[in-house]
């Protein structure tokens, strides 16, 4: 049986380490991972400055931004915390992310990010579906974040099937498979408020509305512990 790397330690300073920890020992961190950033952007100008500095460093380490969207309408709340921006970044492996966060320039730029954002949620997803569509900023996008005690049976297949029935594309979907754990004086996990997510895309808002009102999709929502649904305005 092939053994996969399921945890990876990053050296930040003499007193601080960050562990990329899989949710179970079978998680493979050597294959592509998708960093899921979900946050409230309280100082857009400061976040823009951060991205100008951190962006080239991230790309140098293999990062590829595949989606960024800003919340425009909440359909169903999972909790009361205000978050309004979703960013999905692909890394060839967790090693690429390790090299990035060990970079001193990135660590300095992250001080700007920490000042710009609040309610920051972060985790690594493994894709179940990723639709290789051309960039179309005129499409309508729907975000579904969910939590569960156990993974709902055939959740990803049901999402894809119901989406196709209504002419909707499943742009991205997958479970959260690894978290960041800060090891300093005490161990602290970087908050991650979801167990899985999906992003849907359609030319017509009515198609997305019809999909989430479909009895099969409503049953899927009921099978989760909590679900957040909202419409996004895609930026890239």
């Amino acid at each position: 049986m092939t053994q996969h790397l399921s945890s990876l330690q990053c050296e930040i300073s003499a007193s601080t380490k960050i562990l990329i920890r899989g949710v179970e020992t079978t998680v493979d961190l050597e294959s592509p991972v998708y960093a899921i950033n979900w946050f409230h952007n309280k100082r857009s100008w400061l976040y823009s400055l951060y991205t100008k500095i951190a962006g080239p460093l991230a790309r140098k380490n293999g990062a590829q931004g595949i989606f960024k969207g800003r919340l425009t309408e909440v359909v169903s709340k999972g909790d009361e915390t205000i978050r309004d921006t979703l960013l999905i970044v692909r890394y060839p492996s967790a090693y690429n992310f390790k090299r990035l966060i060990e970079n001193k320039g990135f660590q300095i730029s992250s001080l700007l990010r920490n000042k710009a954002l609040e309610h920051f949620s972060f985790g690594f997803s493994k894709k179940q579906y990723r639709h290789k569509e051309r960039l179309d900023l005129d499409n309508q996008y729907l975000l579904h974040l969910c939590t569960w005690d156990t993974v709902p049976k055939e959740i990803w297949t049901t999402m894809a099937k119901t989406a196709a029935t209504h002419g909707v594309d499943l742009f991205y979907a997958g479970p959260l498979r690894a978290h960041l754990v800060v090891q300093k004086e005490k161990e602290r996990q970087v908050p991650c408020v979801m167990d899985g997510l999906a992003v849907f895309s359609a030319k017509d808002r009515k198609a997305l509305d019809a999909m989430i009102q479909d009895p099969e999709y409503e049953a899927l929502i009921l099978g989760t512990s909590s679900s957040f649904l909202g419409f996004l305005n895609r930026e890239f």
Side-chain angles (χ1 to χ4, degrees), residues 7-135:
S7 66
L8 186 60
Q9 186 170 278
C10 311
E11 303 289 336
I12 304 303
S13 69
S15 61
T16 304
K17 295 177 176 59
I18 290 180
L19 188 67
I20 304 171
R21 179 184 288 166
V23 296
E24 53 191 33
T25 56
T26 57
V27 173
D28 177 14
L29 296 178
E30 297 174 275
S31 61
V33 293
Y34 291 77
I36 309 299
N37 303 259
W38 174 231
F39 54 83
H40 172 52
N41 188 350
K42 62 178 180 178
R43 295 186 178 93
S44 296
W45 67 271
L46 196 55
Y47 184 68
S48 295
L49 178 59
Y50 157 74
T51 57
K52 287 179 181 178
I53 300 170
L57 296 172
R59 289 189 291 273
K60 187 176 179 180
N61 283 281
Q64 176 193 6
I66 69 163
F67 185 91
K68 184 181 180 186
R70 192 167 181 86
L71 187 68
T72 58
E73 180 185 339
V74 175
V75 178
S76 175
K77 287 186 177 181
D79 62 41
E80 298 303 315
T81 304
I82 298 173
R83 295 180 177 89
D84 54 29
T85 305
L86 176 72
L87 173 65
I88 305 177
V89 181
R90 180 189 183 277
Y91 291 89
S93 76
Y95 281 107
N96 298 78
F97 185 78
K98 166 183 162 67
R99 288 196 295 269
L100 175 62
I101 64 174
E102 287 180 340
N103 181 283
K104 295 303 179 184
F106 180 79
Q107 292 173 19
I108 293 170
S109 70
S110 295
L111 299 175
L112 299 175
R113 182 197 63 219
N114 294 342
K115 292 289 186 183
L117 308 181
E118 63 182 1
H119 306 313
F120 186 66
S121 169
F122 183 92
F124 289 104
S125 172
K126 288 288 188 174
K127 73 177 177 69
Q128 294 293 321
Y129 290 90
R130 182 183 168 193
H131 182 65
K132 295 186 180 298
E133 63 163 20
R134 65 185 178 85
L135 178 60

Side-chain angles (χ1 to χ4, degrees), residues 6 41 64 110 127 141 148-149 171 217:
S6 61
N41 188 350
Q64 176 193 6
S110 295
K127 73 177 177 69
Y141 291 88
W148 51 64
D149 294 322
F171 174 78
Y217 206 87

